[in-house]
Amino acid sequence: AGLRDQRFTSLPKLTAAIVDRVSAYNDEPFQKRPGSRTSVFTTEEKPLLSPLPQVAYEISQWAYGRRVARNGHVSWARNYYSVPFEHIGSKVDLRITDRSLTVYRGDQRVTTHLLLPETAVNEYRTNDADLPAGDRYQQWDAARIRQWAERIGASTLVVINRIFESVAIDEQGLNPALAVLRLSRRYSAERVEAACRITLAGPVRSPRYAHVQPILATGQDQARPARTEPVEHGGYVRGASYYAGGTR
C-alpha cells in the first residue's frame, strides 16, 4: 500500500515510513542495466563527494582596520578582546558571528574568542597566552591605576578616585581613568597634577579627561598668577622734611 493510504499519528512515524520507502525504492534493480540506484551511488558517486564542514555555516559581519591597543586588546561593541602581543599596534580585521569573534591579520587567523553578551560593557576577554610575561604587560585594575595616580600627585589621585566612585563597577572606570593618566605621557607629571588641581577647584564633581585635557592644551596650568599692586590707604602725605625746608 502507498503512504497516502496509511494514517500516521505522529510526524516521527511518518518520517520513518518515508525513509523506509525511499530506501526500498533505491534498492530496486534497474530493468535495463545491472545494479540499482543505491549501488550506483555507492560505487560511482559517493567517492567524489567532499566531506561536510565540521562547523555549520554561520552568517557573519566584518569590521576592518581595528588597531590593537598597547594593552594587547582590540575593541568591539564596547568590549575588549585580547590579541597576541606581537600584533600590538597593528591593524586587524574582525569576523563576528552570533557566538564568536575571530581576529585576522591579512588572511591569517590570529585568535578566536567567545563573544561577550550584548549587555556587557567595558568587559575583557583575555587569553593568558596572548600577553607576554612581565609587569609591563599586567592587566590594569583599579589598584594598579591608583598607584600610578599616586606617583603623579595627590590631586591626580583624587580625580581618579572620583572617577571610580562615579561608576557602578570598577571595570567601567578603567578606561576613563587611564585616559587621564596617559596625559602624563604627552605632558609632564607636574603639569597633569596642576591641571587636576585646577579641575578640582571648579564645579565639576566627577572630573574626566574632557575636563583635564583642555587645561593642558591651552596652557592654563602654566599661567602665572596676576601681579598684585600694594594697596595705598589714604592720600599722598608729604613728610616733615618737605615742610622743614619751605619758606613762609
Side-chain angles (χ1 to χ4, degrees), residues 13 61 121 131 217:
K13 290 183 179 180
Q61 60 177 313
V121 177
L131 301 180

Side-chain angles (χ1 to χ4, degrees), residues 201-219:
V204 180
R205 171 61 187 148
S206 180
R208 302 265 177 140
Y209 173 91
H211 305 107
V212 178
Q213 190 272 341
I215 295 175
L216 293 165
T218 57

Side-chain angles (χ1 to χ4, degrees), residues 161-172:
N161 284 335
R162 289 190 181 179
I163 289 175
F164 283 115
E165 290 168 2
S166 67
V167 296
I169 57 175
D170 283 349
E171 285 74 11
Q172 293 175 335

Side-chain angles (χ1 to χ4, degrees), residues 109-180:
R109 186 184 70 83
V110 174
T111 189
T112 299
H113 294 274
L114 289 176
L115 197 64
L116 286 161
E118 292 183 358
T119 55
V121 177
N122 289 331
E123 292 193 18
Y124 285 77
R125 287 270 198 220
T126 304
N127 294 329
D128 292 340
D130 286 344
L131 301 180
D135 294 340
R136 181 181 175 186
Y137 294 98
Q138 289 179 359
Q139 281 191 269
W140 287 106
D141 56 21
R144 189 179 172 203
I145 287 175
R146 285 189 171 99
Q147 290 175 1
W148 186 2
E150 193 172 8
R151 291 195 297 269
I152 294 176
S155 297
T156 305
L157 180 59
V158 172
V159 168
I160 298 307
N161 284 335
R162 289 190 181 179
I163 289 175
F164 283 115
E165 290 168 2
S166 67
V167 296
I169 57 175
D170 283 349
E171 285 74 11
Q172 293 175 335
L174 296 179
N175 284 336
L178 285 171
V180 173

Side-chain angles (χ1 to χ4, degrees), residues 67-73 82-92 103 105 108-111 127-133 137:
R67 188 173 296 279
V68 182
R70 295 180 67 176
N71 65 357
H73 289 73
S82 67
V83 179
F85 71 93
E86 60 266 26
H87 301 290
I88 290 175
S90 302
K91 287 187 176 181
V92 295
V103 181
R105 186 175 180 186
Q108 175 191 3
R109 186 184 70 83
V110 174
T111 189
N127 294 329
D128 292 340
D130 286 344
L131 301 180
Y137 294 98

